[in-house]
Amino acid sequence: ECSTRWNGGMCAEDCSATDCKNQERAQARRPQVVVRKTAEMGWGIWPACKLSAGQVVMHYVGAARAERQAPHNARYVMNLDAKFNLHAEELGSLARFANHSCTPNM
C-alpha cells in the first residue's frame, strides 16, 4: 500500500512504486463543466458531457476554519465535521457552485 496515498497526497512522476494507482489519480482528466446563473438559486455548474455514476467531477477546496471562526453570513461553506468547515468564497474552486441539495443536478 502506498503511504503517500494513505496520507492523502499525490505521488510525483518519479514514484518508485510499480503500477502506481495514486499517480493515475493525480493525472486524471476531469470532465468539463459549464458555469451559469440561475433565476432562483444564483450561480451553478452543469456537466458539459455525460457523466458516469460515481465519476469525480472536481474537488471542493477552500480555507479550513474552525466552526467558531466562521462568520454567520458566510457563503460557499462545506462542513467537514462538528469542528471544521471549508470556506470556498475566497480560495475555492468551481465546486463551490455545485448543487449540494437532495436533488442534485449532477
Side-chain angles (χ1 to χ4, degrees):
E1 184 68 29
C2 177
S3 62
T4 303
R5 184 174 186 171
W6 183 258
N7 290 319
M10 298 290 186
C11 291
E13 287 184 28
D14 61 348
C15 176
S16 61
T18 57
D19 194 32
C20 180
K21 299 292 185 201
N22 196 36
Q23 201 174 69
E24 291 174 15
R25 184 176 67 122
Q27 297 172 0
R29 297 227 184 262
R30 303 287 182 233
Q32 294 290 316
V33 296
V34 176
V35 180
R36 63 180 183 227
K37 193 164 188 169
T38 66
E40 305 86 27
M41 302 304 292
W43 293 98
I45 58 172
W46 284 262
C49 59
K50 185 175 173 115
L51 300 175
S52 302
Q55 182 177 0
V56 175
V57 176
M58 63 182 59
H59 295 282
Y60 194 96
V61 296
R65 294 189 183 143
E67 177 69 33
R68 65 183 181 281
Q69 295 174 326
H72 71 282
N73 60 347
R75 299 183 311 164
Y76 309 121
V77 177
M78 178 179 282
N79 295 332
L80 293 176
D81 56 30
K83 294 181 181 179
F84 293 97
N85 298 321
L86 274 182
H87 292 257
E89 191 163 359
E90 297 169 17
L91 301 172
S93 67
L94 290 178
R96 69 183 177 269
F97 300 127
N99 182 344
H100 295 88
S101 73
C102 295
T103 54
N105 58 347
M106 284 201 258

